Structure formats: C-alpha cells, structure tokens
Amino acid sequence: MNLPKTIHTLTSSKAGHTLHHQHVFSPDDAYIVFDGRNDETKIGETAEIGVVQIARSTESVLYRNANQTMYGPGVGAASFHPHRHHVVCIKGLASCSPEVPYAMSRRIGWCLDLEKPQHGFHLDARAVVAPYPPGSLRGGTHSHGWSASGELVSFTYNDAFVDADLRVVGVMVPSGKPILVDEVPGNNSGEMYSAIVSEVVSQAAFGSDEIEKAFDECWLGAKNTIAFQGNTRNAEGALITEIFLVDIDVAAVLRDADAVGQVGERPKVPAGIQQRRLSRTSKGLSNLRHWLRASADGCYVYALAKDNQERNQLVQCDALSGDFTYISAFDFSIDSPINISYKGDKLTFIAQNNVFIYRLADGQLEQLTHFAADDLSLAGVPVFSRSDKQIAFNQFVEGDGAINLQVKLIQLS
C-alpha cells in the first residue's frame, strides 16, 4: 500500500509561484527558484523571479523587472546552475511595447546571481542590425538548460526575421570573451557564444529524416550531446515526433564564423555539427508537451508515447541502438511532463491530480500524494531535488479570496 508522504507548503504570498520543468533546486538543495506566474502562458506579463529558502519557508525576490507592463518585458522559466548559485531564465526585450510586445522571437537568456539580487546579465547576444557578429542571434531563446558540467547551455530558438515559426535547438558555449554588439534597440551583448545546432525545413520529405521542428530537448547525461524531439513525416506524409541527437563540438561551433548567417537567412548550423535520428517508430512520441529526459550515464532517453488506448505511457530509447520500448502499461494516462532523478533511477509525473514516482529498476509505481479529483489542481511537472530526497511541485491554493499557484514539497526519505 502506498502511504501518503509528508507534504509541506513552502510559499504563501499572494502571487504565482511557477516552477520551471527542471533544476529548480539550488546545488545545495537550500533554495527553490520560481517565477511569478499563475498561468504558464503569461511570461510576458510576469515581473518577478523569486526564491524560497526551504528550511524556513521564507520567500525573497531575486529579480524584478523595471517598468513591467502587460506587453513586457516579462521574466520566467528559471532554473539553477548545477554547481553555482546562478539562475538562468527567460527575459523579454527592454524595448517591448504595445506595437512590439514580448514574443517567442523577442526574448533572451538572462543570468542571475543568488548573492546579488537585482543583478543580471545576458547570456546570449542579440543583433538585429547587419553585419551580425559571429556568436550572436537575432530572434528569441527559450527553455534554457545547463549541461551537467555547467559549461554549456541548450535552448530552443525562433528567428525574428526569417521563418519565425520554425523552432530549432541551439547551444551557448564559452568563447573566452563577450559577444559585443552595437547598442541599438533590440540588440544586446552577451557573455556566451550562441549557435543553432538543429537543421529544420519548412516541409520534410515523406519518409525522410528531415524535420520541420526541433524542440523540448535535454542533455544526454554528462555528455556534450543534446537529445531533442523532431517533427518528421512518415512515408504516408503523417507528422510524427521522433528523437534526434546532436553532439556539441565546442571547437567546431567557434570555428565557423559564417554560421551566424546573412541578412535574409536564418542562422546556420556550424560546419562539423550534424544531427542524427535516434528513434524510428510507427506512432512517434506523445503530443502532450513534455521534455526528453536522459539517464545519468547517458545510455537511455525517456519520453512519453501513446498506447493503443491513447493513454500517455513512459517509453525508453537506447541512446546507441535506438531501440524503443514501452516501459509502462498504466491503466491511466500521464497528465504532465516527466522528470528523472539525479541518480537516474526514478521518474516522476502527475496523473489524476496526484504526484507519482516510477522506479526504473523494478517497474514499481508509487503514488506520493492522495488528492481527490475535485481538490485544487496540480500544475506543471514535479522536480527532484539534487539529493533525490525531495520533490517540489505546484498546486493551486485558495486563501484570502484568491487562488494562487504555490510551491509544495514532498519528503521522500
């Protein structure tokens, strides 16, 4: 019998407290970072990144946008560096206005320091006036993810000028110096060198390995390899989502200065960087929004896929062979993205308004919470602490006449 775990409500302020889909615990498990949303679609209207000190349940503001309006700049989707008290998040452009509001092609990676509230700096450089400096982009980066070493950052990207709807995956790498751009509206210098590492087309050839969208990636364990989802076309022309890999050779990224692209074209994939298809399935991955997750040793990629009853199940893909296996056969459908423990032995998710963990070694499923179907709803995705002894999750909580998203904590041991 699965007994209820001890659950603590960590936040209580009259604001939203949205957790990002990964790495919300500080490296020492002392803090959890969140943004001020109650609605995941409202980054452009959100002004604050906050942290809660776990031991005392005390909240503080890490960063607050100046001159925030419903049109931007906006901040959100915050996660901690694996080894430092640094936080990366999305930040909209300072030049946001009713005419040019926050948008998927008008945002950057913003880095904060827990020891220096209100102090932040741009990770990626944005240049909208040609000639474009190598290592800069001219659109918007999103869903930033530190590599295990903390040296590289993955992201998804939409260009501002060419094929804005074609989402791609990119990477930021250290180059030893900032990427400096002219100080004009829409531009900003950045501390890291950025490049696009996935090749997409507007219409994939039927039965080919071409993709029309690259998205919702993860790092393959401690390797400098990104696993990402790619929308491709099967032989009949149906759109299916498969798993792709790309190895990040930092020297190759820095060597190809021409990859920045010219006016009228999207940034290019640097020479020597090439994606490869990993999975080849009949149905592809689930259309429920979720991010890939990898085992700690980088041997397996985990995702969601539909069973014959259209229920979301857990699947495992061998990172070498591409062997694709359904590892669950639940009599319910998973309702959220998934997360993996840092040891790589457990997955967590939300189903039927409750948090579960699934143990990979023996296939045992444990229900951690016991909320009723009509209780206030859970949101987002549960996230493991660095020690794997705690799980943080979001739930709407009613108080003082308002219902706000709060952070709750499950103690596993």
Side-chain angles (χ1 to χ4, degrees):
M1 178 180 179
N2 295 328
L3 297 176
K5 300 290 185 181
T6 301
I7 300 174
H8 301 283
T9 301
L10 295 183
T11 59
S12 58
S13 62
K14 299 177 183 179
H17 300 82
T18 291
L19 299 174
H20 193 36
H21 65 79
Q22 62 182 350
H23 307 317
V24 299
F25 286 83
S26 60
D28 54 7
D29 279 345
Y31 296 89
I32 292 174
V33 66
F34 56 84
D35 65 61
R37 285 176 292 168
N38 273 322
D39 182 335
E40 65 178 1
T41 68
K42 302 295 186 181
I43 288 181
E45 300 175 26
T46 300
E48 291 185 355
I49 301 294
V51 293
V52 56
Q53 187 179 28
I54 296 173
R56 300 180 179 178
S57 298
T58 54
E59 299 178 47
S60 59
V61 174
L62 180 57
Y63 183 79
R64 181 182 290 114
N65 268 336
N67 304 316
Q68 177 68 41
T69 73
M70 64 180 296
Y71 304 106
V75 287
S79 58
F80 270 104
H81 188 280
H83 312 301
R84 299 195 294 266
H85 275 175
H86 285 181
V87 168
V88 63
C89 66
I90 296 169
K91 188 175 187 294
L93 303 186
S95 57
C96 286
S97 68
E99 293 72 32
V100 280
Y102 171 91
M104 62 184 182
S105 60
R106 291 174 48 79
R107 52 190 180 181
I108 50 86
W110 184 244
C111 193
L112 302 167
D113 188 334
L114 191 63
E115 275 75 45
K116 300 177 182 177
Q118 284 300 119
H119 172 77
F121 58 90
H122 299 96
L123 287 181
D124 45 316
R126 189 176 192 271
V128 296
V129 179
Y132 308 127
S136 67
L137 299 170
R138 45 199 171 272
T141 64
H142 162 261
S143 195
H144 310 90
W146 304 100
S147 64
S149 67
E151 295 297 315
L152 312 179
V153 179
S154 69
F155 58 87
T156 47
Y157 173 79
N158 291 84
D159 198 74
F161 300 120
V162 181
D163 299 325
D165 292 332
L166 291 185
R167 176 157 291 185
V168 296
V169 169
V171 68
M172 302 178 201
V173 304
S175 65
K177 59 181 180 181
I179 308 301
L180 302 177
V181 301
D182 293 335
E183 294 185 7
V184 300
N187 275 15
N188 62 261
S189 298
E191 293 299 311
M192 300 186 76
Y193 189 106
S194 301
I196 302 307
V197 295
S198 62
E199 192 69 64
V200 301
V201 297
S202 57
Q203 177 65 57
F206 293 4
S208 74
D209 290 343
E210 294 179 337
I211 59 174
E212 298 175 13
K213 179 182 179 181
F215 60 104
D216 296 348
E217 80 286 358
C218 74
W219 289 97
L220 198 61
K223 302 175 183 178
N224 279 2
T225 298
I226 297 173
F228 63 90
Q229 300 183 49
N231 283 349
T232 187
R233 299 278 173 178
N234 65 15
E236 291 73 40
L239 192 70
I240 61 172
T241 302
E242 298 283 12
I243 301 172
F244 289 76
L245 301 177
V246 59
D247 298 324
I248 306 302
D249 181 339
V250 174
V253 170
L254 296 174
R255 190 163 50 238
D256 189 357
D258 293 335
V260 68
Q262 304 296 321
V263 174
E265 61 184 14
R266 289 183 283 113
K268 304 172 184 177
V269 176
I273 304 295
Q274 187 171 12
Q275 69 197 32
R276 60 190 186 277
R277 184 169 175 172
L278 180 62
S279 66
R280 297 182 182 276
T281 70
S282 59
K283 297 174 63 175
L285 302 184
S286 173
N287 58 0
L288 176 71
R289 177 80 186 274
H290 70 286
W291 287 261
L292 300 180
R293 293 294 179 243
S295 58
D297 58 10
C299 291
Y300 297 102
V301 178
Y302 296 94
L304 295 175
K306 301 279 190 181
D307 63 16
N308 291 333
Q309 288 74 44
E310 292 298 302
R311 297 175 299 207
N312 293 314
Q313 301 287 353
L314 300 169
V315 293
Q316 179 189 74
C317 188
D318 189 292
L320 287 179
S321 68
D323 288 345
F324 190 92
T325 307
Y326 279 76
I327 59 173
S328 73
F330 304 139
D331 60 1
F332 57 82
S333 183
I334 296 172
D335 297 326
S336 78
I338 60 175
N339 255 316
I340 193 165
S341 61
Y342 284 84
K343 293 178 182 176
D345 60 342
K346 296 183 289 291
L347 295 169
T348 186
F349 54 84
I350 293 170
Q352 301 174 319
N353 205 37
N354 280 289
V355 178
F356 291 80
I357 57 172
Y358 177 84
R359 303 181 194 281
L360 291 164
D362 56 14
Q364 292 298 305
L365 179 70
E366 182 178 1
Q367 184 174 335
L368 301 181
T369 62
H370 292 265
F371 299 115
D374 57 356
D375 283 339
L376 290 172
S377 62
L378 278 59
V381 54
V383 186
F384 283 98
S385 65
R386 306 279 174 164
S387 67
D388 291 338
K389 295 180 178 180
Q390 298 165 314
I391 289 178
F393 67 98
N394 275 146
Q395 184 179 33
F396 285 99
V397 175
E398 187 172 9
D400 296 330
I403 298 178
N404 291 310
L405 203 57
Q406 304 292 351
V407 177
K408 296 200 169 188
L409 189 72
I410 303 171
Q411 193 70 40
L412 297 180
S413 60

